[in-house]
Amino acid sequence: MGERILLAIYVDNNKEHHTDEVSQERLVVRRGQNFKMTLTLMQSFNPELQQLVLTAKTGDQHASEDRGTLSRFGYPDSIRRSSSAKAMWKVEPLTGFSLPSNTVALSVTPPADAPVGEYELFGKLQEEEKSLGKLVVLFNPWCSEDSVYLFDDRTRQEYVLNEHGIIFRGSANYIFPGEWDYGQFEENMVDICLKILDRNHKHDEDPADDVASRSDPIYVSRVISAMVNSEDDSGVLEGRWESPYTGGRRPTHWSGSYPILKQWYQSGCKPVKYGQCWVFAGVMCSVMRLLGIPCRVVSNFDSAHDVDMNLIIDTYIDYYGVNEDYTEDSIWNFHVWTEGWMKRPDLGSDGEYDGWQVVDPTPQELSDGVFCCGPASVKGILNGQTGFKYDAPFIFAEVNADCVYYMITESGEMLKVDSDTKRVGKYISTKAVGSREREDITNTYKHAEGMSHSVVHAVPRWKPLSIHISVQAMNYNGRPTGKILAEDKEETLLPGKGDSSSGEMLAFRSKHLRVWPKLSACLDSVNLHHFPVSSSSVCPHPGPVLDLP
């Protein structure tokens, strides 16, 4: 007996789903939105006498109705389903135009909570079942029922569809923009991003649960955060914060995500060498946008790394200067992460903590045993909700930690001698919607500091000092990797003055060094990684930063 279903045709769907730049040949749709198909049958179809059964499944042999990775639906729909079935698809006939009697036009809708990924669609008429082809389902920020829904078209254009961006770097006194090509619609980006999801360690441990969990952007963004770095898996990028960069490229070489992602994919998922925070963030933004999660890159200046997560950056000073045996805390001149837009029902039913969430792919500290970070609600950080998932204390400290300085006496006693509540978290920046300007979003992370919250320390007189400066490379875990430069010099130090040559920009680990008991001046000891910056790429930053004293 011949095939009862002869042909399935999908026409003009990608454009309506804002995925025509993703692919012209492949069916790529967004969940919560219908797509159209026509089926050519061997004979006329009578819905009063016959039933067409469709099945959509993802996750291969692990597909299950109860997990939402398999859905059986029909026209007419009289299918018996499990009472615990999740993420049910639906089909309706398309009417209003003339078709041959053996052709059926259908509207198929993946639910707004369907797991994202590649699906295979099957059609069954009477006892014969046939594959109708494969399709890819993405998150849908255009759908109000989707948990990544973004209500404004201008922001959707910027945070989902825009392939070109700017990432801000430098220091709080000198912010400069750097071009970044996200390239989320380049060739094979769908396959690359789905491979990233499939290579994560949770998929290896429990593939059925992993695929089902891809309905949740909280879960997916956390997986991407872990997979963009290669610290404990076959992730995309290997980090390196000091030369030599043997066997790879300096982090400053990269100006876009696609060459990195393409190399990783074509090499059989071998980590690409090398990246630093802005490279990790740029790559993650590309993957998030391709999958349909609105995403932007954010730079934080004077960014704290609070290793012990006590929300304080501790500095210990003895007769010889800063004593690093007591703490691994540090302050970076800048750090870059991403924000993803999504609902957070796990943080409350009222939606107060929906919206932008910090997700950081740079490997800094373990989170649930994995080098990943977030998502953490930006509104939660603003409100001081350090008990929230995920990694809220660490991120809160990055933008709002207090700096406390202790003197170690000759007897070993530790005396608190100074504190600074304003040192950390300045000029938190992202690219403005629809322009190349810098948007300052500091007020979304922290409330303005009042005079009552700060301690002012006046230094009435500045004198020439004999200074010993040690420059050290340091990993992101805060441990120095060895002294690489030592110099003795005499210098008059003034507040707010620092050096930034045209050849390279230093990343500072700020230790406001107070040498006791003989000296009483503050200096920044240079103590972190450095990277080259061409003089042509350094330019004065926009906005109020220029008004700094």
Side-chain angles (χ1 to χ4, degrees), residues 190-242:
V190 168
D191 292 322
I192 292 171
C193 294
L194 295 182
K195 176 66 72 173
I196 287 173
L197 298 183
D198 286 342
R199 294 287 293 193
N200 92 86
H201 71 94
K202 293 182 179 180
H203 187 74
D204 294 335
E205 295 169 359
D206 190 342
D209 184 67
D210 172 69
V211 173
S213 297
R214 296 178 190 178
S215 62
D216 185 359
I218 301 171
Y219 177 85
V220 171
S221 62
R222 192 159 171 80
V223 166
I224 298 169
S225 169
M227 280 301 300
V228 168
N229 73 75
S230 62
E231 197 68 23
D232 45 20
D233 47 39
S234 56
V236 175
L237 264 171
E238 181 177 331
R240 189 166 180 83
W241 286 267
E242 60 178 322

Side-chain angles (χ1 to χ4, degrees), residues 345-458:
D346 57 323
L347 302 182
S349 58
D350 59 357
E352 180 179 2
Y353 296 103
D354 296 351
W356 289 119
Q357 314 288 322
V358 175
V359 195
D360 189 350
T362 299
Q364 298 182 84
E365 301 295 333
L366 290 171
S367 176
D368 293 336
V370 179
F371 278 100
C372 64
C373 185
S377 166
V378 173
K379 183 67 175 297
I381 300 301
L382 177 68
N383 291 346
Q385 297 284 3
T386 56
F388 279 179
K389 293 181 178 180
Y390 290 89
D391 309 302
F394 184 80
I395 297 166
F396 179 88
E398 286 184 303
V399 300
N400 217 11
D402 291 341
C403 297
V404 179
Y405 305 93
Y406 298 90
M407 183 181 70
I408 306 172
T409 66
E410 292 182 359
S411 64
E413 183 182 3
M414 295 184 187
L415 303 177
K416 180 179 177 180
V417 295
D418 202 357
S419 63
D420 188 345
T421 62
K422 294 184 177 181
R423 174 74 176 90
V424 166
K426 297 176 182 174
Y427 307 111
I428 303 175
S429 305
T430 191
K431 177 187 174 297
V433 174
S435 81
R436 296 172 53 82
E437 297 300 314
R438 182 183 70 90
E439 180 183 357
D440 192 307
I441 57 172
T442 307
N443 64 343
T444 67
Y445 280 85
K446 55 194 297 187
H447 298 286
E449 294 275 3
M451 289 299 294
S452 60
H453 298 119
S454 62
V455 179
V456 179
H457 297 275

